[in-house]
Structure formats: structure tokens, C-alpha cells
Amino acid sequence: MSDRYAVIGNPVAHSKSPWIHAQFARACGHDLEYVRIEPPRDAFGATVEAFCAAGGRGANVTLPFKQEAFRYCASVSARAREAQAVNTLVLDRGPVWGDNTDGVGLVRDLEINLGFAPRGRRVLVMGAGGAAQGVVPSLHAAGPERLVVANRSADRARALAARFEGATGCGYAELADVKFDLVVNATSAGLAGELPPLPPLETLVAPDALVYDMVYGRDTPFLALAREAGLRTSDGAGMLVEQAAESFLVWRGVRPDTQAVLASLRRG
Ligand code: ATR
């Protein structure tokens, strides 16, 4: 029987993870099956237990269960504790262990696929919800010169930034004239076709800045605005593939090559 893995989310029908992990498994010569599971919103724990009982060896966790998964795990990695969220469950090594590969997925996409190292640069993260919490620890660890978290509710931004030495949090209106080298949109505004209430981009970013939206598979008003301003942009496709590769490494002990999978995902 193939080794069993899953992605658990609600909704999950749109998830590309089964396809991505199937490509990784084929390239690495591993025999595994990877399915989608959509539990009711109040049945995360019962669903993990049932999947475990059916021989499940590991699972990815996506919205809205990442914080619940963090609380559910018997123990977690340091990076999951920093993110206070879990996107990767290991089920075949004793009590359930949780990890978070989102942040390292973003940083690997930036550094390897996009050739942008955050070290020594001025980095702005927009948003202070679960998505931002998942990536701020890794961005901080990547050694930026400045790390600012901006959010509509400024208090949330300040609370998130306060956990990381040297980082600052603020509302959008308080963004000083810093000229960021990297802006990461970690808000869910784009999913609703909305734009965070930013100051004009030309006051906010350096001319050679990279503007990144963690949303994958749709053009957000934020990316459209940045493109119109002639800035370099990226959606979250590379982060999606890199976080999956990191999860595959955690489960299977090998890091699959991501280039062919990312190119194929981009071709659609
Ligand atoms: P997620 O887990 O996807 O991050 P979340 O925890 O609900 O979801 O957080 C959503 C984030 O997007 C928050 O930072 C939210 O800002 P507030 O904390 O001020 O609510 C942000 N967000 C959602 N819609 C937005 C909009 N139209 N403009 C700006 N920020 C928005």
C-alpha cells in the first residue's frame, strides 16, 4: 500500500497540494498517495484521528485550521511555535508533531527563485493575521535591516512585531517614508478584491523593490497597482511549491527539486 498523506482544509477543493506532492513523489521515486480532506469546521481533531487510524503518515493543514492544529499537536518545532500555527503534521513518529513550513517557503522563494535576499534590506509585511504570523518569523530570521509590520488594526501589527527584536508595527497611515526594498502582502484583502489602505506606492517603495503577494492563482488589486507603477511583482506560487517541498523533506527525508514543478504550475 502507498504511504498516505493529505491536505486538511475547509474549503480545500481548490488545493494544488495533491498535484504538487504527486510531482515530487514521482521525481523522487517515492510511492505515496496524497488526498484532500475537508472536515466540518468543528471537526479538525476528529478528522486527524480518523486519518491517523486509517494509516495516514502526515498531513498539510490549511485554512482555517492552522492555529487549531498548533494547539492540537503534542509538540511542535521551534518555527511552528514562533508562528503559533502549524501547516505540517507528522503522524507516524509517535504523538502528533507539528511544523510550519510557510515562512521558510516564502524565504526560499525569495532567495532562490526570485534572487532576492532579505538580508540587509528594508522589508514591509502588510497584515497581522494568521498568514502574516506564519512568515514574519522567517523574514526576521533572514536578517533584514528593517522589518515593519503594517495592519489596518495597528494594535495587531504592534503585538506581532513586538515578538521580534528590532521589528516595528504600525497602521498604514503611520508608514514613514522608508522606501522599502520588499513589500509582502499577507492580508486577505486581495481575496475580496480589495486593496489595503496604503500610502501611494512611490512614497513607500524603492524603484527596484520587489512587491510580493502571498495569494496564489489570482491577480490582486495590490499586484495590479504595483505592476502599473512599473515595479517587479510576484504572486505566491513559488511560496506554495517551496513550502510543499519543505513538508516533503520533513516527511520523507529528501528535498525534492522545485523548479520543474513551479514552471509547470505557472504554465497552468
Ligand atoms: P489570515 O489567516 O488569512 O491572515 P486573518 O487572521 O483573518 O486571516 O487576517 C486577515 C488579515 O488581512 C488581517 O491582517 C486583516 O487586517 P485587520 O487585522 O485589520 O482586520 C487583513 N485584511 C483583510 N481585509 C483587508 C482590507 N480590505 N484591507 C486591509 N487589510 C485587510
Side-chain angles (χ1 to χ4, degrees):
M1 199 176 87
S2 307
D3 292 342
R4 303 189 68 198
Y5 296 86
V7 55
I8 302 173
N10 183 343
V12 82
H14 63 282
S15 173
K16 295 279 183 200
S17 293
W19 179 83
I20 293 170
H21 282 280
Q23 307 304 308
F24 289 164
R26 193 164 45 195
C28 296
H30 288 212
D31 180 17
L32 61 84
E33 74 167 34
Y34 186 113
V35 299
R36 297 181 181 85
I37 301 178
E38 186 168 319
R41 293 196 170 220
D42 61 354
F44 174 76
T47 300
V48 174
E49 274 142 42
F51 183 59
C52 234
R57 301 189 63 156
N60 282 128
V61 180
T62 187
L63 299 179
F65 298 122
K66 290 184 188 185
Q67 277 87 11
E68 188 174 350
F70 172 68
R71 294 189 296 272
Y72 176 83
C73 287
S75 59
V76 298
S77 65
R79 58 192 183 185
R81 189 170 308 108
E82 278 197 310
Q84 296 179 5
V86 157
N87 80 333
T88 305
L89 299 175
V90 173
L91 305 172
D92 58 357
R93 295 174 215 160
V96 179
W97 184 79
D99 196 0
N100 191 312
T101 65
D102 286 330
V104 73
L106 171 63
V107 171
R108 286 184 70 89
D109 186 35
L110 291 170
E111 292 184 340
I112 296 169
N113 303 326
L114 297 167
F116 182 98
R119 177 163 300 280
R121 313 301 291 276
R122 290 155 296 184
V123 176
L124 171 64
V125 175
M126 307 193 317
Q133 273 184 47
V135 300
V136 164
S138 299
L139 285 171
H140 182 257
E145 180 203 298
R146 288 197 63 171
L147 178 59
V148 177
V149 180
N151 196 44
R152 208 167 42 177
S153 326
D155 285 349
R156 265 184 113 184
R158 281 191 276 271
L160 175 54
R163 293 176 22 218
F164 300 93
E165 199 188 337
T168 51
C170 63
Y172 292 106
E174 299 156 58
L175 280 170
D177 202 2
V178 170
K179 302 279 190 222
F180 290 97
D181 302 304
L182 170 67
V183 182
V184 176
N185 184 10
T187 73
S188 54
L191 297 174
E194 293 168 1
L195 185 67
L198 286 171
L201 271 183
E202 57 274 20
T203 68
L204 192 67
V205 302
D208 61 347
L210 174 63
V211 173
Y212 194 101
D213 202 312
M214 283 168 51
V215 169
Y216 155 72
R218 73 167 78 193
D219 196 28
T220 63
F222 176 61
L223 282 187
L225 184 76
R227 245 191 348 263
E228 279 160 27
L231 295 165
R232 185 178 173 215
T233 61
S234 178
D235 74 356
M239 175 179 168
L240 177 72
V241 174
E242 295 297 339
Q243 64 78 29
E246 189 77 9
S247 294
F248 195 95
L249 171 65
V250 168
W251 292 325
R252 311 294 300 183
V254 280
R255 180 191 293 285
D257 180 49
T258 51
Q259 296 309 304
V261 176
L262 181 53
S264 170
L265 185 71
R266 286 205 192 282
R267 279 196 302 272

